């Protein structure tokens, strides 16, 4: 057992409680939040190092042996996601210092930020399906506060829609957990895997599998993403970055974990559903990214495309595609956080989010322009940037399974990602400046944060072989559920 596993959850939880009592002390809130973020990065890196050398770590709460007690599990997949989430959330936190505004800071912005991280980290580390629901709810309740904080008309309208969708999906989640418990009599994920295999997946268990797929797809934006473009456009750029980089990825994590550990005995049924949902997501997301001419919606639809691409890697189900899905998921958390930060900087500099009202910004903000250009290449998958390795592994795995149509859709969506982001680059940074010239704004803090994330994007691509040593360890557990089960049930 390792008590280290619970620290990524306890640190932001303790931080959030402390910040409740510091409502008017903005600077102190910032310092405490930053120190908490740095400490979490340190703990996450330590977890990766230990899992790499020792294998899967577990922690039985209260000393109750599985499957009777609550268990936290740190396999390489989970701890890599915790590490990347820690890095990206710290960068977004630093960006918030200069962009979110004191009015929101005084109304518990950093408190809700930390509570959201509790839900994110807990979702990655729990080994119990009911506690996955609990951590989802902690994350979602915090996101309700963050999306509405500020009280603009757009925020209130979109918050209502966001609340309704997530209440429905959470209700379905509870129902799915109840049906699963009634069918197999356990909630521990490792034990569930054993019981489902013994029962023989089919009939009612396939129905429950589809119910879980609907729930997690609503939360991840896989095919059922109708709520996402509007809802993610409402809050400030820092909150959009947090949502785009982390929230959809928690939903994707849940899909990957569920359909590589629990419902793995009838892939001809479950994985075919995932494959066609991934294809539809990439196609519809690409259409949205190309069609719109305002920055928030273009970026939001790019989030949707990447969700479809990761699900495509899961659907292929080969060792190559699973490794690629893990690699691409890590890249996407990093790149999407950076994308929304750069998008927020462009909107701040231009004074509008409409591309038709922008132009000529490369003269005033050359660094911003070229950072966005390099990020666009990374999102498309141009070597040697971070998006290339994950995409090539997913495509190689899919083609080995004869999934030519889905591979062509994936490639086509990549070209449309390039088209949509180059449209932003061309219209915002080139051409003539608008008649009403905007005064130059200071972007020093935001530029430093963005430059740091961009260096990580480049480093992850150049050092892909080194990153792969960890990614392959994560992929091995996803491809062989027995490794996960043995690590938990042996004690």
């Amino acid at each position: 057992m390792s008590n280290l596993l619970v620290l990524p959850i306890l640190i932001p939880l303790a931080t959030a409680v402390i910040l409740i009592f510091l409502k008017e002390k903005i600077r102190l809130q910032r310092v405490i939040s930053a120190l908490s973020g740095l400490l979490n990065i340190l703990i996450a890196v330590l977890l990766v190092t230990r899992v790499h050398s020792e294998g899967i770590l577990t922690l039985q709460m209260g000393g109750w042996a599985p499957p009777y007690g609550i268990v936290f599990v740190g396999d390489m997949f989970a701890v890599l996601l915790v590490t990347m989430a820690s890095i990206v959330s710290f960068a977004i936190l630093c960006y918030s210092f200069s962009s979110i505004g004191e009015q929101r800071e005084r109304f518990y912005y950093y408190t809700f930020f930390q509570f959201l991280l509790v839900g994110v980290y807990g979702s990655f580390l729990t080994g119990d399906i009911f506690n996955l629901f609990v951590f989802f709810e902690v994350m979602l309740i915090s996101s309700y506060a963050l999306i509405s904080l500020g009280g603009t008309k757009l925020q209130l309208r979109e918050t209502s829609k966001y609340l309704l969708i997530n209440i429905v999906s959470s209700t379905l989640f509870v129902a799915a957990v109840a049906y699963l418990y009634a069918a197999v009599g356990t909630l521990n994920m490792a034990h569930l895997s054993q019981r489902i295999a013994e029962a023989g997946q089919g009939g009612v268990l396939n129905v429950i599998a589809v119910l879980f797929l609907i729930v997690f797809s609503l939360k991840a934006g896989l095919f059922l993403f109708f709520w996402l473009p509007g809802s993610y456009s409402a809050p400030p750029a820092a909150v959009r970055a947090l949502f785009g980089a982390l929230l959809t990825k928690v939903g994707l994590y849940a899909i990957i974990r569920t359909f590589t550990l629990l419902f793995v005995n009838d892939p001809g049924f479950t994985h075919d559903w995932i494959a066609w949902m991934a294809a539809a997501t990439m196609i519809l997301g690409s259409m949205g990214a190309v069609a719109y001419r305002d920055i928030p919606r273009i970026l939001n639809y790019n989030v949707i495309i990447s969700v479809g691409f990761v699900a495509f890697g899961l659907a292929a189900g080969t060792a190559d595609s699973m490794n690629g899905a893990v690699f691409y998921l890590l890249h996407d958390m990093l790149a999407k956080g950076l994308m929304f930060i750069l998008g927020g900087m462009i909107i701040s500099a231009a004074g509008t989010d409409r591309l038709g009202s922008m132009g000529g910004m490369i003269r005033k903000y050359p660094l911003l322009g070229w950072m966005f250009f390099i990020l666009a290449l990374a999102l498309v998958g141009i070597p040697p940037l971070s998006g290339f390795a994950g995409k090539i592994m997913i495509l190689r795995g899919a083609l080995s399974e004869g999934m030519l149509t889905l591979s062509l859709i994936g490639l086509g969506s990549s070209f449309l990602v390039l088209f949509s982001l180059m449209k932003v680059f061309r219209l915002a940074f080139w051409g003539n400046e608008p008649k009403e010239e905007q005064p130059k704004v200071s972007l020093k803090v935001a530029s430093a944060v963005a430059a740091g994330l961009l260096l990580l994007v480049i480093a992850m691509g150049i050092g892909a072989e080194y990153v792969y040593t960890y990614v392959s360890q994560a992929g091995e557990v996803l491809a062989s559920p027995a490794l996960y089960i043995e690590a938990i049930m042996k004690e």
Side-chain angles (χ1 to χ4, degrees):
M1 291 203 302
S2 175
N3 291 324
L4 197 64
L5 276 174
V6 80
L7 287 182
I9 301 166
L10 287 181
I11 291 168
L13 179 61
T15 305
V17 172
I18 291 168
L19 293 177
I20 291 172
F21 301 99
L22 302 173
K23 181 175 182 288
E24 299 298 327
K25 299 179 180 180
I26 304 301
R27 288 188 178 180
L28 187 56
Q29 285 189 56
R30 292 175 181 176
V31 171
I32 292 172
S33 298
L35 291 175
S36 172
L38 287 171
L39 183 57
N40 244 10
I41 292 172
L42 180 63
I43 296 296
V45 171
L46 185 57
L47 277 171
V48 170
T49 305
R50 283 197 59 184
V51 172
H52 186 57
S53 60
E54 300 174 22
I56 298 173
L57 302 177
T58 61
L59 174 63
Q60 286 85 42
M61 300 300 290
W64 285 84
Y68 306 107
I70 295 171
V71 61
F72 288 97
V73 185
D75 67 338
M76 186 56 78
F77 183 39
V79 297
L80 281 175
L81 290 178
V82 169
T83 302
M84 189 58 77
S86 301
I87 293 168
V88 174
S89 62
F90 178 72
I92 295 169
L93 182 70
C94 293
Y95 174 60
S96 300
F97 296 160
S98 64
S99 68
I100 202 68
E102 285 196 10
Q103 184 181 6
R104 288 186 173 91
E105 288 177 308
R106 281 198 173 88
F107 282 90
Y108 305 104
Y109 170 77
Y110 297 115
T111 301
F112 291 123
F113 191 107
Q114 297 293 332
F115 275 127
L116 185 139
L117 294 182
V118 172
V120 170
Y121 299 144
S123 298
F124 291 150
L125 292 171
T126 185
D128 180 283
I129 194 74
F130 183 76
N131 279 295
L132 179 62
F133 165 76
V134 171
F135 283 117
F136 258 91
E137 290 309 297
V138 172
M139 177 183 74
L140 288 172
I141 291 169
S142 305
S143 73
Y144 300 154
L146 288 171
I147 198 173
S148 61
L149 200 59
T152 65
K153 190 174 181 181
L154 174 63
Q155 281 181 287
L156 295 176
R157 186 186 73 209
E158 293 299 334
T159 298
S160 301
K161 181 169 66 176
Y162 181 75
L163 255 169
L164 179 62
I165 293 300
N166 280 291
I167 287 172
V168 169
S169 67
S170 294
T171 305
L172 291 175
F173 197 170
V174 173
V177 170
Y179 285 134
L180 187 59
Y181 184 76
V184 294
T186 186
L187 294 172
N188 180 282
M189 289 187 187
H191 200 213
L192 277 169
S193 183
Q194 289 179 324
R195 287 285 183 88
I196 291 171
E198 290 167 3
Q201 188 180 328
V204 70
L205 285 173
N206 269 342
V207 174
I208 294 170
V210 171
L211 189 54
F212 273 108
L213 182 58
I214 291 169
V215 168
F216 296 143
S217 296
L218 272 169
K219 296 182 184 298
L222 178 64
F223 185 58
L224 304 172
F225 61 77
F226 52 90
W227 56 271
L228 191 151
S231 295
Y232 279 23
S233 297
V239 178
R240 289 200 296 268
L242 193 65
F243 286 10
L246 300 186
L247 295 201
T248 54
K249 307 309 179 290
V250 175
L252 274 173
Y253 167 81
I255 292 173
I256 293 171
R257 183 66 80 192
T258 302
F259 290 94
T260 58
L261 180 62
L262 307 186
F263 302 107
V264 296
N265 303 295
D266 191 5
F269 177 77
T270 54
H271 286 54
D272 281 357
W273 272 93
I274 295 170
W276 290 111
M277 290 174 75
T281 303
M282 288 187 284
I283 292 169
L284 296 173
S286 299
M287 291 169 63
V290 170
Y292 283 96
R293 294 177 67 85
D294 63 287
I295 287 177
R297 286 185 185 269
I298 291 172
L299 303 189
N300 291 340
Y301 276 103
N302 273 280
V303 170
I304 291 164
I305 296 168
S306 64
V307 168
F309 206 90
V310 174
F312 167 37
L314 170 63
T318 66
D320 257 346
S321 69
M322 289 309 305
N323 289 338
V326 174
F327 197 108
Y328 194 80
L329 190 55
L330 295 171
H331 144 81
D332 203 58
M333 292 171 76
L334 188 60
K336 288 302 187 294
L338 175 56
M339 182 182 75
F340 280 104
I341 288 173
L342 292 175
M345 291 167 66
I346 293 171
I347 293 169
S348 296
T352 179
D353 62 8
R354 300 285 171 178
L355 289 175
S357 302
M358 298 182 188
M361 289 173 57
I362 199 71
R363 300 179 186 88
K364 289 183 178 178
Y365 307 97
L367 178 61
L368 173 58
W370 293 117
M371 283 196 295
F372 187 86
F373 179 79
I374 295 169
L375 174 67
L377 298 182
L379 288 168
V380 175
I382 302 297
L385 300 170
S386 59
F388 174 73
K391 281 197 173 184
I392 203 69
M393 283 189 279
I394 291 173
L395 290 170
R396 188 169 62 190
L399 289 171
S400 71
E401 289 292 298
M403 302 174 74
L404 180 60
T405 302
L406 274 172
S407 298
L408 290 174
I409 291 171
L411 283 171
S413 71
S414 296
F415 285 116
L416 290 175
V417 166
L418 179 63
F419 179 85
S420 67
L421 295 178
M422 285 300 106
K423 177 173 66 176
V424 174
F425 181 65
R426 177 173 58 86
L427 295 177
F429 290 97
W430 301 98
N432 296 320
E433 293 184 22
K435 292 180 181 178
E436 295 184 10
E437 186 177 350
Q438 290 290 322
K440 188 170 182 178
V441 298
S442 175
L443 298 173
K444 289 181 179 179
V445 174
S447 294
V449 172
L453 287 178
L454 185 62
L455 287 174
L456 288 176
V457 167
I458 296 168
M460 188 176 174
I462 294 173
E465 188 173 354
Y466 174 76
V467 177
Y468 182 76
T469 60
Y470 296 90
V471 166
S472 61
Q473 189 175 342
E476 183 184 7
V477 175
L478 295 177
S480 304
L483 297 173
Y484 187 96
I485 295 166
E486 183 185 355
I488 296 170
M489 301 303 293
K490 68 182 179 183
E491 299 183 30

